[in-house]
Amino acid sequence: MGVIGRACNDGNLAVNVHDLRAAGNDPYRSVDDAPFGGGAGMVMKPEPIFKSVEQVDPPRPLFLLGPAGRRLDQELAVELAALDGFSLLCGRYEGVDQRVRDQLVDDELSVGDFVLAGGEVAAMVLIEAVGRLLPGVLGNEFSTDEESFSDNLLEYPHYTRPSEFRGWAVPEVLLSGHHEQVQRWRKAQSLARTLALRPDLIAARGGLTETEGELLGEFGLGVSEQI
């Protein structure tokens, strides 16, 4: 069982799923129809969506998952984790009737600039990104403190036993037992890795500070160093 499943079993997280077809108003429980004005694909109808939301009265805010929304990143995940709760409406087909966007949902979220068959996969991504930030969900309360995208940096490299594998050794600093030096090495590696692989994240932080530049130099890591 994964982290989210255990969190639900332990009462640290509640995830409720509601089938929009249960609110369908014809024998086929239809939730979609052809678009007015013609065109390819189908559009999700407003009636079953409004009816389902009104019957369930889900926690607000209610977010539509779609391409026009604010893109999910770690900052947004932290913001959502601070809420008392929220709900997700999964789009499908060519999208939802515009009246759902205009009159029912509170906002729109996106997991990236790509197309999915439906919002269910996007919802799972968002639930995991947010759920793991909640108290008690991860076994170690400090597990999220130094992850990738914390402070707009990629995470430092990790090593475990054996200390040497096929001639490749673990950096000596990690075996030294010198915790302060280990932390400095990790921060330097995190900075160097981000510079090499995601310089846009460094730019978003306003560039390197003088102290960070000195830290890179201490470990012989230049701006162009590839980690």
Side-chain angles (χ1 to χ4, degrees), residues 16-24 29-31 44 48-49 51-53 55-56 89 120:
N16 299 305
V17 180
H18 304 281
D19 184 2
L20 292 176
R21 288 189 179 277
R29 300 195 302 169
S30 301
V31 295
M44 294 185 70
I49 298 177
K51 183 178 178 181
S52 181
V53 170
Q55 287 178 341
V56 172
L89 174 60
E120 296 83 359

Side-chain angles (χ1 to χ4, degrees), residues 193-206:
R193 174 176 275 190
T194 308
L195 279 168
L197 303 178
R198 289 292 305 275
D200 58 301
L201 294 176
I202 296 291
R205 298 168 78 243

Side-chain angles (χ1 to χ4, degrees), residues 120-140:
E120 296 83 359
V121 173
M124 292 171 65
V125 169
L126 198 147
I127 290 168
E128 177 149 347
V130 175
R132 63 195 310 281
L133 298 176
L134 299 177
V137 171
L138 295 182
N140 185 340

Side-chain angles (χ1 to χ4, degrees), residues 8-36:
C8 291
N9 283 349
D10 294 342
N12 294 314
L13 176 66
V15 178
N16 299 305
V17 180
H18 304 281
D19 184 2
L20 292 176
R21 288 189 179 277
N25 56 7
D26 65 20
Y28 301 102
R29 300 195 302 169
S30 301
V31 295
D32 62 309
D33 208 334
F36 283 123

Side-chain angles (χ1 to χ4, degrees), residues 127-158:
I127 290 168
E128 177 149 347
V130 175
R132 63 195 310 281
L133 298 176
L134 299 177
V137 171
L138 295 182
N140 185 340
E141 63 178 306
F142 302 110
S143 294
T144 61
D145 289 351
E146 296 180 340
E147 290 183 321
S148 289
F149 307 113
S150 295
D151 196 27
N152 262 22
L153 294 175
L154 298 179
E155 198 169 3
Y156 51 80
H158 293 277

Side-chain angles (χ1 to χ4, degrees), residues 60-81:
R60 293 281 185 161
L62 171 61
F63 296 107
L64 172 66
L65 291 167
R70 177 179 171 186
R71 188 157 54 180
L72 177 64
D73 56 17
Q74 195 66 14
E75 180 182 358
L76 176 56
V78 171
E79 289 179 22
L80 294 174

Side-chain angles (χ1 to χ4, degrees), residues 78-101:
V78 171
E79 289 179 22
L80 294 174
L83 298 174
D84 290 334
F86 60 89
S87 302
L88 303 172
L89 174 60
C90 300
R92 260 195 173 276
Y93 314 114
E94 292 302 305
V96 302
D97 186 288
Q98 185 63 35
R99 288 165 288 189
V100 172
R101 283 189 170 92

